[in-house]
Amino acid sequence: MAAPPPGSNTTRIADSRVCTLGEGVLWHPRREQLFWFDILGKRLLSQQDGQPLEWALGERASAAGWIDSDRLLMASETALSIFDLRSGARERICALEADNPLTRSNDGRADPWGGFWIGTMGLEAQPQAGAIYRYYRGELRQLFADITISNAICFSPDRRFGYFADTERQRIWRQALDEQHGWPSGEPQLFIDGRVAGLNPDGAVVDALGRLWNAQWGASRVACYDSNGQFLQAVAFPASQISCPAFAGPDLSTLFATSAREGMEDDQLAAEPHAGKLFAVDVPVQGQAEHQVVL
């Protein structure tokens, strides 16, 4: 991924390829390379030396974590798989609701213990058809059931909390985590209630100071909240359906965001010609490096 212009703080198009449903943007800290998904286009996208890269996946995939320099743990509609970036080969390691053709994977992220949290949802966002799981040391365990649109999976830098959202319910919850192995401890607590302002929480990431940055579907922005869930600021983007943020770049101070054009009518697309593209903006904060998945 090309470095941003020094001192730039203007939102810009980082990649002009259009995704029907962009998601799962991930900065690989060893490769210093950005990856993201077009879920409905069934492809993984990236750039290298300023040139576009993409892999056709043959199924809907949505999120990944990094295992080592050349392999990702990838979540798709049927499985968690090891994806080899050199060959494009995939090795399935466990099924993910493979017996349910009405669901697919959605938001996911590696946790500080080397586990991987992954949410599912109905293909048509059927009510409570999805769930959130954690893959850890060879075991896939369901953490939360009855989720309609799983999102905002991320973790505090002090390892005390995980976060998750149900976009349909317009809420983000904070979940205390066991220090030793990172499993949920106690019941999740409401962290942000988007119903108050009519906001739809999508993907999220936590910065190095513990502030949560949440993409808000339909609001053309990524909003920042402090560790108590109080709104601090928002970064505007030139597309309404912003779906997933990530801190990237060598110093983790560039905020990238995917977007989507799913469900938009012709007049909406005319008004939003950049819908579905990848955006970037330099911010005066530093993100966390993405955690490594431990198999």
Side-chain angles (χ1 to χ4, degrees):
M1 181 65 61
S8 171
N9 59 3
T10 303
T11 300
R12 58 193 180 276
I13 297 170
D15 193 282
S16 60
R17 287 171 288 180
V18 172
C19 293
T20 305
L21 178 54
E23 254 290 2
V25 59
L26 169 76
W27 175 254
H28 193 307
R30 287 192 185 172
R31 297 175 68 97
E32 295 195 344
Q33 186 174 358
L34 201 71
F35 297 90
W36 67 102
F37 293 88
D38 181 359
I39 297 178
L40 300 182
K42 302 179 181 179
R43 56 183 179 154
L44 172 67
L45 295 89
S46 185
Q47 293 180 4
Q48 193 168 43
D49 300 325
Q51 298 301 310
L53 293 175
E54 66 179 72
W55 295 264
L57 301 175
E59 65 173 339
R60 301 172 187 89
S62 63
W66 68 278
I67 299 169
D68 54 33
S69 294
D70 297 311
R71 298 182 299 163
L72 303 178
L73 180 68
M74 179 184 293
S76 74
E77 60 188 298
T78 60
L80 293 179
S81 302
I82 298 171
F83 184 78
D84 192 311
L85 292 165
R86 298 162 297 185
S87 66
R90 275 191 285 174
E91 175 189 349
R92 178 167 156 158
I93 59 172
C94 72
L96 181 65
E97 296 186 356
D99 58 343
N100 186 352
L102 300 179
T103 63
R104 63 166 174 84
S105 63
N106 201 46
D107 192 64
R109 191 177 304 277
D111 67 34
W113 294 264
F116 187 77
W117 290 41
I118 181 65
T120 61
M121 61 175 287
L123 293 177
E124 304 297 330
Q126 296 93 327
Q128 301 182 328
I132 295 175
Y133 300 84
R134 186 190 190 211
Y135 178 80
Y136 182 66
R137 298 187 178 182
E139 176 192 6
L140 184 70
R141 184 187 302 181
Q142 187 181 98
L143 303 180
F144 308 104
D146 302 325
I147 303 288
T148 299
I149 303 176
S150 57
N151 262 312
I153 293 172
C154 52
F155 303 92
S156 64
D158 60 9
R159 299 159 55 108
R160 294 178 59 203
F161 301 108
Y163 301 88
F164 68 93
D166 188 337
T167 304
E168 178 66 23
R169 297 169 69 185
Q170 298 180 285
R171 279 166 276 185
I172 300 175
W173 289 270
R174 184 169 68 181
Q175 173 64 62
L177 302 174
D178 162 56
E179 172 60 28
Q180 187 173 3
H181 297 295
W183 292 108
S185 176
E187 295 299 312
Q189 304 298 313
L190 182 63
F191 182 65
I192 296 169
D193 191 343
R195 296 172 298 177
V196 177
L199 298 170
N200 302 301
D202 210 291
V205 67
V206 180
D207 69 22
L209 295 180
R211 297 168 296 198
L212 186 144
W213 296 72
N214 177 233
Q216 295 174 335
W217 184 271
S220 305
R221 72 180 200 170
V222 173
C224 177
Y225 299 84
D226 69 17
S227 58
N228 295 313
Q230 296 299 308
F231 174 78
L232 296 175
Q233 61 179 297
V235 178
F237 291 92
S240 58
Q241 296 181 163
I242 299 298
S243 52
C244 186
F247 287 102
D251 57 0
L252 298 174
S253 62
T254 301
L255 182 68
F256 287 82
T258 51
S259 67
R261 56 174 49 203
E262 178 189 18
M264 296 178 70
E265 302 293 339
D266 289 344
D267 59 337
Q268 294 174 292
L269 292 172
E272 295 184 33
H274 301 305
K277 297 178 181 180
L278 178 73
F279 305 108
V281 61
D282 299 324
V283 289
V285 299
Q286 186 175 42
Q288 297 183 75
E290 289 291 338
H291 301 292
Q292 183 177 14
V293 175
V294 179
L295 298 178

